[in-house]
Coordinates of all heavy atoms in Angstrom, one line a residue:
G360 N -19.7 53.3 -43.0 CA -20.5 53.8 -41.9 C -19.9 55.2 -41.4 O -20.7 56.1 -41.1
F361 N -18.6 55.3 -41.3 CA -18.0 56.5 -40.8 C -18.3 57.7 -41.8 O -18.7 58.7 -41.4 CB -16.5 56.3 -40.6 CG -15.8 57.6 -40.2 CD1 -15.8 58.0 -38.9 CD2 -15.1 58.3 -41.2 CE1 -15.2 59.2 -38.6 CE2 -14.4 59.5 -40.8 CZ -14.5 59.9 -39.5
Q362 N -18.1 57.4 -43.1 CA -18.3 58.5 -44.0 C -19.8 58.9 -44.1 O -20.1 60.1 -44.3 CB -17.8 58.0 -45.4 CG -16.3 57.9 -45.5 CD -15.8 57.3 -46.7 OE1 -16.6 56.7 -47.5 NE2 -14.5 57.4 -47.0
L363 N -20.7 57.9 -44.0 CA -22.1 58.3 -44.0 C -22.5 59.1 -42.7 O -23.2 60.0 -42.8 CB -22.9 57.0 -44.0 CG -23.0 56.3 -45.3 CD1 -23.7 55.0 -45.2 CD2 -23.6 57.1 -46.4
A364 N -21.9 58.8 -41.6 CA -22.2 59.5 -40.4 C -21.6 60.9 -40.4 O -22.2 61.9 -39.9 CB -21.6 58.8 -39.2
M365 N -20.4 61.1 -41.1 CA -19.8 62.4 -41.1 C -20.5 63.3 -42.2 O -20.5 64.5 -42.1 CB -18.3 62.3 -41.4 CG -17.5 61.6 -40.3 SD -17.6 62.5 -38.8 CE -18.6 61.5 -37.8
R366 N -21.0 62.6 -43.2 CA -21.7 63.4 -44.3 C -23.0 64.0 -43.8 O -23.4 65.1 -44.3 CB -21.9 62.5 -45.5 CG -22.4 63.2 -46.7 CD -22.6 62.3 -47.9 NE -21.5 61.5 -48.2 CZ -21.5 60.2 -48.5 NH1 -22.6 59.6 -48.7 NH2 -20.4 59.6 -48.8
A367 N -23.7 63.3 -43.0 CA -25.0 63.8 -42.5 C -25.0 63.7 -41.0 O -25.1 62.6 -40.4 CB -26.1 62.9 -43.1
G368 N -24.8 64.8 -40.3 CA -24.7 64.9 -38.9 C -26.0 64.6 -38.2 O -27.1 64.5 -38.8
P369 N -26.0 64.5 -36.8 CA -27.1 64.1 -36.1 C -28.2 65.2 -35.8 O -29.3 64.9 -35.6 CB -26.5 63.6 -34.7 CG -25.3 64.4 -34.6 CD -24.8 64.6 -36.0
L370 N -27.8 66.4 -36.0 CA -28.8 67.5 -35.6 C -29.7 67.8 -36.8 O -30.9 67.7 -36.7 CB -28.0 68.8 -35.2 CG -27.3 68.6 -33.9 CD1 -26.5 69.9 -33.5 CD2 -28.2 68.2 -32.7
C371 N -29.1 68.3 -37.9 CA -29.9 68.7 -39.1 C -29.3 68.2 -40.4 O -29.3 68.9 -41.3 CB -30.2 70.1 -39.0 SG -28.8 71.2 -39.0
E372 N -28.7 67.0 -40.3 CA -28.1 66.4 -41.5 C -26.9 67.3 -42.1 O -26.7 67.3 -43.3 CB -29.1 66.1 -42.6 CG -30.2 65.2 -42.1 CD -29.8 63.8 -41.7 OE1 -28.9 63.3 -42.3 OE2 -30.3 63.3 -40.7
E373 N -26.2 68.0 -41.2 CA -25.1 68.9 -41.6 C -23.8 68.0 -41.7 O -23.7 67.0 -41.0 CB -25.0 70.0 -40.6 CG -24.3 69.6 -39.3 CD -25.1 68.7 -38.4 OE1 -26.3 68.4 -38.7 OE2 -24.6 68.4 -37.3
P374 N -22.9 68.4 -42.6 CA -21.6 67.8 -42.6 C -20.9 68.0 -41.3 O -20.9 69.1 -40.7 CB -20.9 68.4 -43.7 CG -21.8 69.2 -44.5 CD -23.0 69.5 -43.6
V375 N -20.2 66.9 -40.8 CA -19.5 67.0 -39.5 C -18.0 67.1 -39.9 O -17.5 66.3 -40.7 CB -19.8 65.8 -38.6 CG1 -19.0 65.8 -37.3 CG2 -21.2 65.7 -38.3
R376 N -17.3 68.0 -39.3 CA -15.8 68.2 -39.6 C -15.0 68.2 -38.3 O -15.5 68.4 -37.2 CB -15.6 69.5 -40.3 CG -16.3 69.5 -41.6 CD -15.9 70.8 -42.4 NE -16.6 70.8 -43.6 CZ -17.4 71.8 -44.0 NH1 -17.5 72.9 -43.3 NH2 -18.0 71.7 -45.2
R377 N -13.8 67.8 -38.4 CA -12.8 67.8 -37.3 C -13.2 66.9 -36.2 O -13.2 67.3 -35.0 CB -12.5 69.2 -36.8 CG -11.9 70.1 -37.9 CD -11.7 71.5 -37.4 NE -11.2 72.3 -38.4 CZ -11.2 73.6 -38.4 NH1 -11.7 74.3 -37.4 NH2 -10.7 74.3 -39.4
V378 N -13.6 65.7 -36.5 CA -14.0 64.7 -35.5 C -13.2 63.5 -35.7 O -13.1 63.0 -36.8 CB -15.5 64.4 -35.6 CG1 -15.9 63.3 -34.7 CG2 -16.3 65.6 -35.3
A379 N -12.6 62.9 -34.6 CA -11.9 61.6 -34.7 C -12.8 60.6 -34.0 O -13.3 60.9 -32.9 CB -10.6 61.7 -34.0
V380 N -12.9 59.5 -34.5 CA -13.7 58.4 -33.9 C -12.8 57.2 -33.6 O -12.1 56.8 -34.5 CB -14.9 57.9 -34.9 CG1 -15.6 56.8 -34.3 CG2 -15.8 59.1 -35.2
I381 N -12.8 56.8 -32.4 CA -12.0 55.7 -32.0 C -12.9 54.5 -31.6 O -13.7 54.7 -30.6 CB -11.1 56.0 -30.8 CG1 -10.1 57.2 -31.2 CG2 -10.3 54.8 -30.3 CD1 -9.3 57.8 -30.1
L382 N -12.9 53.4 -32.3 CA -13.7 52.3 -32.0 C -13.0 51.4 -31.0 O -11.9 50.8 -31.2 CB -14.0 51.5 -33.3 CG -14.9 50.3 -33.2 CD1 -16.3 50.8 -32.8 CD2 -14.9 49.6 -34.5
E383 N -13.5 51.4 -29.7 CA -12.9 50.7 -28.7 C -13.2 49.2 -28.6 O -12.4 48.4 -28.2 CB -13.2 51.4 -27.3 CG -12.6 52.8 -27.2 CD -12.9 53.4 -25.9 OE1 -13.6 52.9 -25.1 OE2 -12.3 54.5 -25.6
S384 N -14.5 48.9 -28.9 CA -14.8 47.5 -28.8 C -16.1 47.2 -29.7 O -16.8 48.2 -30.0 CB -15.2 47.1 -27.3 OG -16.3 47.8 -26.9
V385 N -16.3 46.0 -29.9 CA -17.4 45.5 -30.7 C -18.1 44.4 -30.0 O -17.4 43.4 -29.6 CB -17.0 45.1 -32.2 CG1 -18.2 44.5 -32.9 CG2 -16.4 46.2 -32.9
E386 N -19.4 44.4 -29.8 CA -20.1 43.3 -29.2 C -21.0 42.7 -30.2 O -21.8 43.4 -30.9 CB -20.9 43.8 -28.0 CG -20.0 44.3 -26.9 CD -20.8 44.8 -25.7 OE1 -22.0 44.5 -25.6 OE2 -20.2 45.4 -24.8
I387 N -21.0 41.4 -30.3 CA -21.9 40.6 -31.2 C -22.7 39.7 -30.4 O -22.2 38.9 -29.6 CB -21.0 39.9 -32.3 CG1 -20.2 40.9 -33.1 CG2 -21.9 39.0 -33.2 CD1 -19.2 40.2 -34.0
A388 N -24.0 39.7 -30.6 CA -24.9 38.8 -29.9 C -24.8 37.4 -30.5 O -24.8 37.3 -31.7 CB -26.3 39.3 -30.0
V389 N -24.6 36.4 -29.7 CA -24.5 35.1 -30.1 C -25.6 34.2 -29.5 O -26.2 34.5 -28.5 CB -23.1 34.5 -29.8 CG1 -22.0 35.2 -30.5 CG2 -22.9 34.5 -28.3
T390 N -25.9 33.1 -30.3 CA -26.9 32.2 -29.8 C -26.3 30.8 -29.8 O -25.4 30.5 -30.6 CB -28.2 32.1 -30.6 OG1 -27.8 31.9 -32.0 CG2 -28.9 33.5 -30.5
K391 N -26.7 29.9 -29.0 CA -26.2 28.6 -28.9 C -26.9 27.7 -29.9 O -28.2 27.7 -29.9 CB -26.3 28.0 -27.5 CG -25.5 26.7 -27.3 CD -25.5 26.3 -25.8 CE -24.7 25.0 -25.7 NZ -24.6 24.6 -24.3
R392 N -26.2 26.9 -30.6 CA -26.9 26.0 -31.6 C -27.4 24.8 -30.8 O -26.7 24.3 -29.8 CB -25.9 25.5 -32.6 CG -25.5 26.6 -33.6 CD -24.6 26.0 -34.6 NE -24.3 27.0 -35.6 CZ -23.5 26.8 -36.7 NH1 -23.0 25.6 -36.9 NH2 -23.2 27.8 -37.5
P393 N -28.5 24.2 -31.2 CA -29.0 23.0 -30.5 C -28.4 21.7 -31.0 O -29.0 20.7 -31.1 CB -30.5 23.1 -30.9 CG -30.5 23.7 -32.2 CD -29.4 24.7 -32.2
S394 N -27.0 21.8 -31.2 CA -26.3 20.6 -31.6 C -25.6 19.9 -30.5 O -25.7 20.3 -29.3 CB -25.4 20.9 -32.8 OG -24.4 21.9 -32.3
E395 N -24.7 19.0 -30.8 CA -23.9 18.3 -29.8 C -23.0 19.3 -29.0 O -22.5 20.3 -29.5 CB -23.1 17.2 -30.4 CG -22.1 17.7 -31.5 CD -22.8 17.7 -32.8 OE1 -23.9 17.3 -33.0 OE2 -22.1 18.1 -33.8
S396 N -22.8 19.0 -27.7 CA -22.1 20.0 -26.8 C -20.6 20.0 -27.0 O -20.0 20.9 -26.6 CB -22.5 19.6 -25.4 OG -22.0 18.3 -25.1
D397 N -20.0 18.9 -27.6 CA -18.6 18.9 -27.8 C -18.1 19.6 -29.1 O -17.0 19.7 -29.4 CB -18.0 17.5 -27.7 CG -18.7 16.6 -28.8 OD1 -19.7 17.0 -29.3 OD2 -18.1 15.5 -29.0
N398 N -19.0 20.1 -29.8 CA -18.7 20.8 -31.1 C -18.1 22.2 -30.7 O -18.7 23.0 -30.0 CB -20.0 21.0 -31.9 CG -19.7 21.6 -33.3 OD1 -18.6 21.8 -33.6 ND2 -20.7 21.7 -34.0
P399 N -16.9 22.5 -31.2 CA -16.3 23.8 -30.9 C -17.1 25.0 -31.5 O -17.0 26.1 -31.1 CB -14.9 23.7 -31.5 CG -15.0 22.6 -32.5 CD -16.1 21.7 -32.0
K400 N -17.9 24.7 -32.6 CA -18.7 25.8 -33.2 C -20.1 25.7 -32.8 O -21.0 25.8 -33.6 CB -18.6 25.6 -34.7 CG -17.2 25.9 -35.3 CD -17.2 25.8 -36.8 CE -15.8 26.1 -37.3 NZ -15.8 26.1 -38.8
Q401 N -20.3 25.7 -31.5 CA -21.7 25.5 -31.0 C -22.4 26.9 -30.8 O -23.6 26.9 -30.6 CB -21.7 24.8 -29.6 CG -20.9 25.5 -28.5 CD -20.9 24.7 -27.3 OE1 -21.7 23.8 -27.1 NE2 -20.0 25.1 -26.4
Y402 N -21.6 28.0 -31.0 CA -22.2 29.3 -30.9 C -22.2 30.0 -32.3 O -21.2 29.7 -33.1 CB -21.5 30.2 -29.9 CG -21.7 29.7 -28.5 CD1 -20.7 29.0 -27.9 CD2 -22.8 30.0 -27.8 CE1 -20.8 28.5 -26.6 CE2 -23.0 29.6 -26.5 CZ -22.0 28.9 -25.9 OH -22.1 28.4 -24.6
R403 N -23.2 30.7 -32.6 CA -23.2 31.5 -33.9 C -23.8 32.9 -33.6 O -24.5 33.1 -32.6 CB -24.0 30.7 -35.0 CG -25.5 30.6 -34.7 CD -26.1 29.9 -35.8 NE -27.6 29.9 -35.6 CZ -28.4 30.8 -36.2 NH1 -27.9 31.7 -37.0 NH2 -29.7 30.8 -36.0
A404 N -23.6 33.8 -34.6 CA -24.1 35.1 -34.4 C -25.6 35.1 -34.5 O -26.2 34.3 -35.3 CB -23.6 36.0 -35.6
A405 N -26.3 35.9 -33.7 CA -27.7 35.9 -33.7 C -28.3 36.3 -35.0 O -29.4 35.8 -35.5 CB -28.2 36.8 -32.6
K406 N -27.7 37.2 -35.7 CA -28.1 37.6 -37.1 C -26.9 37.4 -38.0 O -25.7 37.5 -37.6 CB -28.5 39.1 -37.1 CG -29.7 39.4 -36.5 CD -30.1 40.9 -36.7 CE -31.4 41.3 -36.1 NZ -31.7 42.7 -36.4
D407 N -27.2 37.2 -39.3 CA -26.1 37.1 -40.2 C -25.4 38.5 -40.3 O -26.1 39.5 -40.5 CB -26.6 36.7 -41.6 CG -27.1 35.3 -41.6 OD1 -26.5 34.5 -40.8 OD2 -27.9 35.0 -42.4
I408 N -24.1 38.5 -40.2 CA -23.3 39.8 -40.3 C -23.0 40.1 -41.7 O -22.1 39.4 -42.3 CB -22.1 39.7 -39.3 CG1 -22.5 39.4 -37.9 CG2 -21.3 41.0 -39.4 CD1 -21.4 39.2 -37.0
T409 N -23.6 41.1 -42.3 CA -23.3 41.5 -43.6 C -22.7 42.9 -43.6 O -22.8 43.6 -42.6 CB -24.6 41.5 -44.5 OG1 -25.5 42.4 -44.0 CG2 -25.2 40.1 -44.5
G410 N -22.3 43.3 -44.7 CA -21.7 44.7 -44.8 C -22.7 45.8 -44.5 O -22.4 46.8 -43.9
G411 N -23.9 45.6 -44.9 CA -25.0 46.6 -44.7 C -25.3 46.7 -43.2 O -25.5 47.8 -42.7
I412 N -25.3 45.6 -42.4 CA -25.5 45.7 -41.0 C -24.4 46.4 -40.3 O -24.6 47.2 -39.4 CB -25.8 44.3 -40.4 CG1 -27.1 43.8 -40.9 CG2 -25.7 44.3 -38.9 CD1 -27.4 42.4 -40.5
V413 N -23.2 46.1 -40.7 CA -22.0 46.7 -40.1 C -22.0 48.2 -40.3 O -21.8 49.0 -39.4 CB -20.7 46.1 -40.6 CG1 -19.5 46.8 -40.1 CG2 -20.6 44.6 -40.2
V414 N -22.3 48.6 -41.6 CA -22.3 50.1 -41.9 C -23.4 50.8 -41.1 O -23.2 51.9 -40.6 CB -22.5 50.3 -43.4 CG1 -22.8 51.7 -43.8 CG2 -21.3 49.8 -44.2
A415 N -24.6 50.2 -41.1 CA -25.7 50.8 -40.4 C -25.4 50.9 -38.9 O -25.8 51.9 -38.2 CB -27.0 50.1 -40.6
A416 N -24.9 49.9 -38.3 CA -24.5 49.9 -36.9 C -23.5 50.9 -36.6 O -23.6 51.6 -35.5 CB -24.1 48.5 -36.4
L417 N -22.5 51.0 -37.4 CA -21.4 52.0 -37.2 C -22.0 53.4 -37.3 O -21.6 54.3 -36.5 CB -20.3 51.8 -38.1 CG -19.0 52.6 -37.9 CD1 -18.5 52.4 -36.6 CD2 -18.0 52.3 -39.0
R418 N -22.8 53.7 -38.3 CA -23.4 55.0 -38.5 C -24.2 55.4 -37.3 O -24.1 56.5 -36.8 CB -24.2 55.0 -39.8 CG -24.8 56.4 -40.0 CD -25.6 56.4 -41.3 NE -26.2 57.7 -41.5 CZ -27.3 57.9 -42.1 NH1 -27.9 57.0 -42.7 NH2 -27.7 59.2 -42.2
S419 N -25.1 54.5 -36.8 CA -26.0 54.9 -35.7 C -25.2 55.0 -34.4 O -25.5 55.8 -33.6 CB -27.1 53.8 -35.5 OG -26.6 52.6 -35.2
G420 N -24.1 54.2 -34.3 CA -23.3 54.3 -33.1 C -22.5 55.7 -33.0 O -22.5 56.3 -32.0
I421 N -22.0 56.1 -34.2 CA -21.4 57.4 -34.2 C -22.3 58.6 -34.0 O -22.1 59.5 -33.3 CB -20.6 57.6 -35.6 CG1 -19.5 56.6 -35.7 CG2 -20.2 59.0 -35.8 CD1 -18.8 56.6 -37.0
R422 N -23.5 58.5 -34.6 CA -24.5 59.5 -34.4 C -24.9 59.6 -32.9 O -25.1 60.7 -32.3 CB -25.8 59.2 -35.2 CG -25.5 59.5 -36.7 CD -26.7 59.1 -37.5 NE -27.7 60.1 -37.3 CZ -28.2 60.9 -38.3 NH1 -27.8 60.7 -39.5 NH2 -29.1 61.8 -38.0
C423 N -25.1 58.4 -32.2 CA -25.5 58.5 -30.8 C -24.3 59.0 -30.0 O -24.6 59.8 -29.0 CB -25.8 57.0 -30.3 SG -27.3 56.4 -31.0
A424 N -23.1 58.7 -30.3 CA -22.0 59.3 -29.6 C -21.9 60.8 -29.8 O -21.5 61.5 -28.8 CB -20.7 58.6 -30.1
L425 N -22.2 61.3 -31.0 CA -22.1 62.7 -31.2 C -23.2 63.4 -30.4 O -23.0 64.6 -30.0 CB -22.3 63.0 -32.7 CG -21.1 62.7 -33.6 CD1 -21.5 62.9 -35.0 CD2 -19.9 63.5 -33.2
L426 N -24.3 62.8 -30.2 CA -25.4 63.4 -29.5 C -25.2 63.4 -28.0 O -25.9 64.2 -27.2 CB -26.8 62.7 -29.8 CG -27.3 63.0 -31.2 CD1 -28.5 62.1 -31.4 CD2 -27.7 64.4 -31.3
T427 N -24.3 62.7 -27.5 CA -24.0 62.7 -26.0 C -23.1 63.9 -25.6 O -23.1 64.2 -24.4 CB -23.2 61.4 -25.6 OG1 -22.0 61.3 -26.3 CG2 -24.1 60.2 -25.8
R428 N -22.5 64.5 -26.5 CA -21.7 65.7 -26.3 C -22.4 67.0 -26.6 O -23.3 67.0 -27.5 CB -20.4 65.6 -27.1 CG -19.6 64.4 -26.8 CD -19.0 64.2 -25.5 NE -18.2 65.4 -25.2 CZ -17.8 65.8 -24.0 NH1 -18.2 65.1 -22.9 NH2 -17.1 66.8 -23.8
P429 N -22.0 68.1 -26.0 CA -22.6 69.4 -26.5 C -22.3 69.7 -27.9 O -21.2 69.5 -28.4 CB -22.0 70.4 -25.6 CG -21.4 69.7 -24.4 CD -21.1 68.3 -24.9
A430 N -23.4 70.1 -28.7 CA -23.2 70.3 -30.1 C -23.2 71.8 -30.4 O -23.8 72.6 -29.6 CB -24.4 69.6 -30.8
R431 N -22.6 72.1 -31.5 CA -22.5 73.5 -31.9 C -22.6 73.6 -33.4 O -21.9 73.0 -34.1 CB -21.2 74.1 -31.5 CG -21.0 75.6 -31.8 CD -19.7 76.1 -31.3 NE -18.7 75.6 -32.2 CZ -17.4 75.9 -32.0 NH1 -17.0 76.6 -31.0 NH2 -16.5 75.4 -32.9
L432 N -23.6 74.3 -33.9 CA -23.8 74.5 -35.3 C -23.0 75.8 -35.7 O -23.1 76.8 -35.0 CB -25.3 74.7 -35.6 CG -26.1 73.5 -35.5 CD1 -27.6 73.8 -35.8 CD2 -25.6 72.4 -36.5
V433 N -22.3 75.7 -36.8 CA -21.5 76.8 -37.3 C -22.0 77.1 -38.7 O -22.1 76.3 -39.5 CB -20.0 76.5 -37.3 CG1 -19.2 77.6 -37.9 CG2 -19.5 76.1 -36.0
E434 N -22.4 78.4 -38.9 CA -22.9 78.8 -40.2 C -21.9 79.9 -40.7 O -21.6 80.8 -40.1 CB -24.3 79.4 -40.0 CG -24.9 79.8 -41.3 CD -26.3 80.4 -41.1 OE1 -26.9 80.0 -40.1 OE2 -26.8 81.1 -41.9
G435 N -21.6 79.6 -42.0 CA -20.7 80.6 -42.6 C -21.4 81.8 -43.0 O -22.6 81.8 -43.2
H436 N -20.7 82.9 -43.1 CA -21.4 84.2 -43.5 C -20.4 84.9 -44.5 O -19.2 84.6 -44.6 CB -21.7 85.1 -42.3 CG -20.5 85.6 -41.6 ND1 -19.8 84.8 -40.7 CD2 -19.9 86.8 -41.7 CE1 -18.8 85.5 -40.2 NE2 -18.8 86.7 -40.8
L437 N -21.0 85.8 -45.3 CA -20.3 86.5 -46.3 C -20.3 88.0 -46.0 O -21.3 88.5 -45.7 CB -21.0 86.3 -47.7 CG -20.4 87.0 -48.9 CD1 -19.0 86.5 -49.2 CD2 -21.3 86.8 -50.1
R438 N -19.1 88.5 -46.0 CA -19.0 90.0 -45.8 C -18.7 90.6 -47.2 O -17.8 90.2 -47.9 CB -17.9 90.2 -44.8 CG -17.7 91.7 -44.5 CD -16.6 91.9 -43.6 NE -17.0 93.0 -42.7 CZ -16.3 93.3 -41.6 NH1 -15.2 92.6 -41.3 NH2 -16.7 94.3 -40.9
L439 N -19.5 91.6 -47.5 CA -19.4 92.2 -48.8 C -19.2 93.7 -48.7 O -19.9 94.4 -48.0 CB -20.7 91.9 -49.6 CG -20.8 92.5 -51.0 CD1 -19.8 91.8 -51.9 CD2 -22.2 92.3 -51.5
T440 N -18.2 94.2 -49.4 CA -18.0 95.7 -49.5 C -18.3 96.1 -50.9 O -17.6 95.6 -51.8 CB -16.6 96.0 -49.0 OG1 -16.4 95.5 -47.7 CG2 -16.4 97.5 -49.0
L441 N -19.2 96.9 -51.1 CA -19.7 97.4 -52.4 C -19.2 98.8 -52.6 O -19.5 99.7 -51.8 CB -21.2 97.3 -52.5 CG -21.8 97.7 -53.9 CD1 -21.3 96.7 -55.0 CD2 -23.3 97.7 -53.8
H442 N -18.5 99.0 -53.7 CA -18.0 100.3 -54.1 C -18.8 100.7 -55.4 O -18.6 100.0 -56.4 CB -16.5 100.4 -54.3 CG -15.7 100.0 -53.1 ND1 -15.5 100.9 -52.1 CD2 -15.1 98.9 -52.7 CE1 -14.8 100.4 -51.1 NE2 -14.6 99.1 -51.5
S443 N -19.6 101.8 -55.3 CA -20.3 102.2 -56.5 C -20.6 103.7 -56.4 O -20.6 104.3 -55.3 CB -21.6 101.4 -56.6 OG -22.4 101.9 -57.7
S444 N -20.9 104.3 -57.5 CA -21.3 105.7 -57.5 C -22.8 105.8 -57.1 O -23.5 104.8 -57.2 CB -21.1 106.3 -58.9 OG -21.9 105.7 -59.8
L445 N -23.2 107.0 -56.7 CA -24.6 107.1 -56.4 C -25.5 106.9 -57.6 O -26.7 106.5 -57.4 CB -24.9 108.5 -55.8 CG -24.2 108.7 -54.4 CD1 -24.4 110.2 -53.9 CD2 -24.8 107.8 -53.4
A446 N -25.1 107.2 -58.8 CA -25.9 107.0 -60.0 C -26.1 105.5 -60.2 O -27.2 105.1 -60.7 CB -25.2 107.6 -61.2
G447 N -25.1 104.7 -59.9 CA -25.3 103.2 -60.1 C -26.2 102.6 -59.1 O -26.8 101.6 -59.3
L448 N -26.4 103.2 -57.9 CA -27.3 102.6 -56.9 C -28.7 102.9 -57.2 O -29.6 102.2 -56.8 CB -26.9 103.2 -55.5 CG -25.6 102.7 -55.0 CD1 -25.3 103.4 -53.6 CD2 -25.5 101.2 -54.8
G449 N -29.0 104.0 -57.8 CA -30.4 104.4 -58.1 C -31.2 104.6 -56.9 O -30.9 105.4 -56.0
S450 N -32.4 103.9 -56.8 CA -33.3 104.1 -55.6 C -33.0 103.1 -54.5 O -33.8 102.9 -53.6 CB -34.7 103.9 -56.1 OG -34.9 102.5 -56.6
L451 N -31.9 102.5 -54.5 CA -31.5 101.6 -53.4 C -31.1 102.3 -52.2 O -30.3 103.3 -52.3 CB -30.3 100.7 -53.9 CG -29.8 99.7 -52.9 CD1 -30.8 98.6 -52.7 CD2 -28.5 99.0 -53.4
H452 N -31.5 101.9 -51.1 CA -31.2 102.6 -49.8 C -30.2 101.9 -49.1 O -30.3 100.8 -48.8 CB -32.4 102.9 -49.0 CG -33.4 103.9 -49.6 ND1 -34.1 103.6 -50.7 CD2 -33.7 105.1 -49.3 CE1 -34.8 104.6 -51.0 NE2 -34.6 105.6 -50.2

């Protein structure tokens, strides 16, 4: 989930760099089973928790957290110095 969220950022699917994510808590929705009340396993997760659900939840959580802060897009640029004779440039202005 973390690597997927960092590979495709929230604004325009750009790579995200220099970000630390600290997971403070996890909440899981539970439902009560309609079985006997003295059973210690009377509660279960509302949905089956699989790896795909965990990855998708972590990715969407990180993306939402990134959108709560001011964002800045950084675009690299290239500076070029060209040394040539006037004959090599021809009709180039």
Side-chain angles (χ1 to χ4, degrees):
F361 175 78
Q362 292 172 346
L363 288 175
M365 296 297 109
R366 187 178 308 141
L370 296 178
C371 55
E372 303 297 323
E373 77 288 358
V375 179
R376 297 187 181 126
R377 297 180 183 162
V378 172
V380 176
I381 300 171
L382 183 63
E383 293 181 352
S384 66
V385 176
E386 295 181 13
I387 299 173
V389 294
T390 58
K391 189 173 182 178
R392 291 184 180 182
S394 62
E395 56 274 357
S396 62
D397 58 344
N398 186 1
K400 295 184 178 182
Q401 61 183 344
Y402 294 98
R403 66 180 187 98
K406 289 185 176 182
D407 292 332
I408 300 174
T409 62
I412 290 177
V413 172
V414 169
L417 186 58
R418 180 180 180 206
S419 65
I421 291 172
R422 290 177 72 121
C423 290
L425 289 173
L426 287 173
T427 61
R428 304 294 303 161
R431 184 178 73 180
L432 289 177
V433 179
E434 182 177 337
H436 66 279
L437 178 65
R438 181 179 218 173
L439 179 66
T440 304
L441 180 64
H442 298 281
S443 177
S444 65
L445 292 176
L448 294 175
S450 64
L451 181 67
H452 290 72

